[in-house]
């Protein structure tokens, strides 16, 4: 079986061929450069230059009844229509963090960075989450069954007076303030805007997450405050999710933002915020926290889906 694998997010879509247990070199396309998913898949297939029997596509959005839409872009997907369009035997859609969760058991030690915590319980559920274009979240049970939800869109909670002021500022702009409103690329910019308004009322020129990080590295005080707030909210949301999932097996952080700021993350108040759950601090203290450094963990999970599909 020859499979087309794809990891499709709101900013980038990456494609690779998979055959005989080997994942080929990935082709990366900008989502904004293509009006539809079909156009991007056709372009990727041409660049890969090989025939495919099936396709396994991970998409950054909910998958329901063989259909999906990107939460942060205009692409839509239908398994049956895609199979017919590209003359494939079958197409399987999966949530992007579902396949990252499925990849975790196959990651090597060098693929991970320790962010604190204890030994946990290897037999318990794990949680995978991470900020990128959006905020993804999924669980893994028994090392093989993924549990997928839309945890990035839960209502953001404030842990202290400073968080409350930030959330209030964001509520004036957005109405409902989800976790994704701060824990994503746009979310980091949203945080900087809210903090700048609270500090001096003048705003800040940084318009992208990359610019916020660069300004923080240059010593910009407001950008540093935004990153500190970002890490605090990340720990708070992760602690809530770990308690909800019962993720005693560990919490794994993926996505495109955190590896870029891993040293700041490690030195931040992130872990303290994760633990700050009153009577359940000791429960959370035993949970191992890991940052995924592997550049393409989704392809590992996609390959696992393709292999399981073949066995079925």
């Amino acid at each position: 079986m020859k499979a087309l694998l794809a990891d499709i997010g709101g900013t980038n879509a990456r494609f690779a061929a998979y055959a005989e247990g080997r994942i080929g070199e990935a082709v990366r396309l900008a989502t904004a450069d293509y009006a539809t998913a079909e156009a991007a898949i056709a372009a990727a297939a041409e660049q890969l230059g090989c025939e495919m029997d099936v396709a396994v596509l991970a998409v950054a959005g909910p998958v329901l009844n063989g259909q999906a839409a990107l939460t942060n872009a205009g692409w839509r997907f239908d398994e049956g229509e895609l199979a017919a369009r590209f003359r494939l035997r079958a197409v399987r859609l999966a949530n992007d963090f579902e396949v990252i969760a499925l990849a975790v058991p196959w990651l090597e030690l060098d693929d991970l960075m320790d962010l604190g915590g204890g030994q946990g319980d290897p037999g318990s559920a794990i949680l995978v989450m991470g900020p990128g274009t959006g905020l993804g979240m999924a669980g893994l049970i028994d090392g093989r069954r993924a549990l997928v939800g839309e945890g990035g869109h839960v209502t953001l909670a404030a842990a202290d007076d400073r968080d409350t002021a930030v959330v209030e500022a964001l509520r004036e702009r957005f109405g409902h303030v989800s976790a994704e409103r701060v824990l994503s690329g746009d979310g980091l910019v949203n945080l900087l805007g809210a903090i700048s308004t609270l500090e001096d009322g003048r705003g800040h020129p940084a318009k992208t997450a990359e610019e916020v990080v660069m300004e923080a590295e240059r010593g910009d005080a407001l950008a540093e405050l935004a990153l500190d707030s970002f890490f605090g909210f990340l720990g708070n949301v992760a602690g809530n999710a770990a308690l909800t999932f019962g993720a005693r097996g560990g919490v794994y952080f993926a996505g495109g933002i955190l590896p870029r700021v891993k040293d700041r993350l490690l030195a931040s108040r992130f872990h303290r915020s994760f633990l700050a759950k009153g009577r359940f601090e000791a429960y959370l203290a035993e949970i191992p926290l890991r940052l995924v450094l592997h550049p393409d963990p989704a392809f590992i999970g996609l390959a696992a889906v393709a292999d399981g599909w073949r066995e079925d």
Side-chain angles (χ1 to χ4, degrees):
M1 180 181 70
K2 296 179 180 179
L4 173 67
L5 308 181
D7 176 22
I8 301 173
T11 302
N12 296 299
R14 293 171 295 170
F15 301 84
Y18 179 63
E20 298 180 354
R22 181 180 178 274
I23 300 171
E25 185 174 350
V27 168
R28 177 173 172 172
L29 304 177
T31 306
D33 289 346
Y34 298 87
T36 65
E38 289 84 355
I41 292 169
E46 182 177 359
Q47 291 187 44
L48 290 170
C50 54
E51 295 294 327
M52 306 295 176
D53 302 316
V54 299
V56 186
L57 312 177
V59 299
V63 178
L64 300 171
N65 301 317
Q67 297 179 326
L70 293 180
T71 301
N72 293 296
W75 291 5
R76 295 184 176 277
F77 306 82
D78 182 285
E79 290 177 343
E81 292 177 3
L82 289 172
R85 164 68 175 79
F86 293 100
R87 298 180 180 180
L88 298 171
R89 180 159 53 83
V91 172
R92 163 76 186 276
L93 295 173
N95 175 266
D96 58 340
F97 268 76
E98 174 186 357
V99 299
I100 294 176
L102 291 170
V104 166
W106 303 98
L107 295 176
E108 305 288 343
L109 288 177
D110 289 346
D111 296 325
L112 303 169
M113 175 178 167
D114 185 3
L115 296 176
Q119 296 301 310
D121 178 2
S124 293
I126 68 168
L127 168 68
V128 180
M129 61 180 291
T133 303
L135 176 63
M137 196 177 297
L140 188 69
I141 303 169
D142 299 331
R144 58 187 177 84
R145 292 187 294 131
L147 178 63
V148 185
E150 290 297 321
H153 300 284
V154 300
T155 302
L156 183 67
D160 55 31
D161 291 343
R162 180 65 174 177
D163 285 356
T164 298
V166 170
V167 172
E168 287 291 342
L170 292 171
R171 188 176 292 123
E172 290 181 8
R173 178 180 175 189
F174 295 109
H176 178 251
V177 181
S178 67
E180 184 173 286
R181 288 295 190 190
V182 302
L183 296 177
S184 61
D186 285 345
L188 184 52
V189 178
N190 293 339
L191 277 175
L192 179 59
I195 288 169
S196 299
T197 299
L198 292 171
E199 288 293 323
D200 59 23
R202 293 184 296 177
H204 195 284
K207 301 299 182 185
T208 67
E210 182 68 20
E211 289 176 355
V212 178
V213 172
M214 290 174 61
E215 289 299 315
E217 290 175 344
R218 293 188 185 114
D220 182 274
L222 291 176
E224 288 183 329
L225 283 173
L227 270 178
D228 179 69
S229 183
F230 183 88
F231 296 140
F233 278 119
L234 179 68
N236 186 15
V237 171
N240 287 340
L243 288 173
T244 302
F245 272 88
R248 300 274 293 169
V251 180
Y252 292 75
F253 295 87
I257 295 176
L258 297 181
R260 173 73 171 79
V261 292
K262 59 182 184 296
D263 293 334
R264 285 181 175 269
L265 172 64
L266 194 60
S268 74
R269 61 189 174 108
F270 153 75
H271 196 200
R272 296 195 304 277
S273 297
F274 177 82
L275 296 175
K277 302 299 177 189
R279 293 173 294 170
F280 272 74
E281 179 175 334
Y283 177 100
L284 291 170
E286 290 300 315
I287 295 177
L289 308 179
R290 305 287 185 263
L291 176 62
V292 177
L293 299 178
H294 191 287
D296 290 309
F299 283 125
I300 298 174
L302 286 163
V305 173
D307 286 339
W309 200 1
R310 178 174 56 193
E311 291 170 3
D312 292 341

